[in-house]
Amino acid sequence: MPSERTRRLWRALGFPDAADDDLVFTDADVQALALLSALIDTGFVDEDSEASIVRAMAQSLSRLADWQTDMLADVLSRGEETGAAPIDPERAVEGTRRLLPLLRALQDYVWRRHLAANAGRLSDSVGGGDRRELAVGFADLVGYTSRSRGMGGRELGEMVEDFESTASEVIARHHGRVVKTVGDGVLYTAVSAIDAVEIGLELPEAWQAEDRPPLRVGAAYGTVLTHLGDVYSPVVNLASRLTSLARPGTLLVDRDLARQLRGLPRYRVRPLRRVSVRGYDNLQPWLVQRRPPGEADLALESMLDEMADDVLEADDE
């Protein structure tokens, strides 16, 4: 391979250039290039996209490696007092030799399970290839920035870990997929509009506690481009805008999601006042709530449902 190409791939992995006389590369690096060449020969990867694929893998695995390194350091330093001598290198090497094979086997299992799950979602979704009909949801913590200023590093880390754990559990339970988490927020997708709404309703309830900032959710439905594990579409932007409009503890959806909820007695779907936000003039948010048992039979609720249907039909004309 030309040196320009290997250098581009090395940078895509997230590593700085190495000087000619630095002892950096091993036979494993040569083998990795051979594997990449084999993938290109199969037609699964082409040279134009190889750097993008390497970059996407590196970003995910770099975060995983950061976490594993911190975990290893924590294990090796247990029982030592603050300010004690640095971790013994020999002990670190021995611990790594025992842990890495176990972590590698577990990573392979998790990867295979996610590959199977994503294949199932692909077969269930409308459309094919990298364009699919999906529901996209955003959930973010209200007042996270101001609240985090007064928190210590460990306390903030524990809150973020609790948030990511709660979000992952709720999203998985309703057949959704976590696309990414960014400190105070999570982006998720779901093939089913109902699953996306159930996630949006349950997340604030599962997260609610006196010592936690409230959560708000926005969701939209439409054609989404999936690329290297991420999602791109005006639908993603619309879900983000709806989230910024939502009050703490509530779920706002777009017209397409609201339309798919029509006639389902378990949900109360109401249009809110139209607003103009960046990228969207005269945007119509829809508030979704769980309907209390028996409410659908009330005359007032029936009238409000009919008015909501009229708004949807007017938007279709």
Side-chain angles (χ1 to χ4, degrees):
M1 287 188 181
S3 59
E4 295 81 5
R5 184 179 173 194
T6 57
R7 187 178 297 111
R8 183 178 70 251
L9 293 172
W10 185 248
R11 291 170 180 169
L13 285 171
F15 301 123
D17 292 343
D20 290 341
D21 56 351
D22 285 346
L23 297 177
V24 175
F25 303 105
T26 70
D27 290 343
D29 298 295
V30 179
Q31 184 182 9
L33 290 176
L35 290 173
L36 182 59
S37 294
L39 279 173
I40 293 174
D41 291 340
T42 65
F44 185 74
V45 177
D46 57 52
E47 290 190 25
D48 293 334
S49 63
E50 64 179 8
S52 297
I53 292 173
V54 168
R55 188 181 307 110
M57 293 178 64
Q59 289 173 356
S60 298
L61 294 176
S62 172
R63 183 181 179 188
L64 181 63
D66 286 343
W67 167 74
Q68 291 171 342
T69 304
D70 291 342
M71 181 182 67
L72 179 61
D74 183 60
V75 170
L76 293 174
S77 62
R78 283 176 187 169
E80 298 181 7
E81 297 180 357
T82 304
I87 295 172
D88 177 39
E90 292 185 5
R91 187 181 172 205
V93 170
E94 180 59 29
T96 302
R97 282 176 176 163
R98 288 186 287 109
L99 285 174
L100 285 187
L102 300 176
L103 289 173
R104 183 164 55 241
L106 184 60
Q107 287 169 198
D108 183 69
Y109 160 76
V110 173
W111 169 69
R112 289 173 179 272
R113 269 296 181 180
H114 276 289
L115 197 63
N118 286 334
R121 279 191 285 264
L122 177 62
S123 63
D124 291 339
S125 63
V126 179
D130 57 359
R131 292 188 179 275
R132 310 176 199 172
E133 294 292 314
L134 294 173
V136 178
F138 266 112
D140 73 358
L141 301 174
V142 181
Y144 169 83
T145 302
S146 58
R147 188 184 185 93
S148 62
R149 291 196 190 103
M151 300 176 70
R154 181 177 294 275
E155 184 183 6
L156 180 59
E158 289 176 354
M159 186 183 74
V160 171
E161 171 62 25
D162 288 344
F163 170 63
E164 293 186 359
S165 175
T166 301
S168 297
E169 181 178 336
V170 172
I171 292 169
R173 186 159 58 242
H174 294 287
H175 310 286
R177 182 177 79 88
V178 175
V179 178
K180 55 188 172 184
T181 57
V182 189
D184 64 337
V186 60
L187 170 64
Y188 69 89
T189 60
V191 175
S192 163
I194 302 301
D195 286 334
V197 169
E198 283 296 322
I199 291 169
L201 291 173
E202 188 173 327
L203 260 178
E205 297 172 355
W207 173 252
Q208 186 177 10
E210 290 185 3
D211 59 341
R212 293 173 172 176
L215 193 66
R216 58 186 177 182
V217 187
Y221 189 89
T223 303
V224 175
L225 170 67
T226 60
H227 181 65
L228 299 178
D230 209 339
V231 291
Y232 306 88
S233 169
V235 177
V236 180
N237 296 331
L238 179 54
S240 177
R241 298 293 178 269
L242 289 167
T243 305
S244 65
L245 295 172
R247 292 182 179 276
T250 64
L251 166 66
L252 294 184
V253 304
D254 72 330
R255 179 187 59 196
D256 287 338
L257 267 180
R259 183 183 293 111
Q260 296 191 52
L261 300 179
R262 290 179 66 180
L264 298 178
R266 53 179 157 162
Y267 301 119
R268 180 196 293 154
V269 185
R270 298 288 183 261
L272 301 183
R273 181 173 56 88
R274 294 178 181 270
V275 295
S276 293
V277 294
R278 183 163 57 91
Y280 296 91
D281 293 329
N282 208 26
L283 174 63
Q284 174 73 76
W286 291 79
L287 175 66
V288 179
Q289 299 170 309
R290 297 194 188 280
R291 193 193 298 273
E295 186 187 72
D297 299 329
L298 299 179
L300 176 60
E301 289 301 316
S302 298
M303 182 183 70
L304 292 175
D305 288 339
E306 291 178 3
M307 293 174 61
D309 288 343
D310 292 341
V311 174
L312 283 172
E313 292 172 0
D315 286 342
D316 292 337
E317 295 176 354

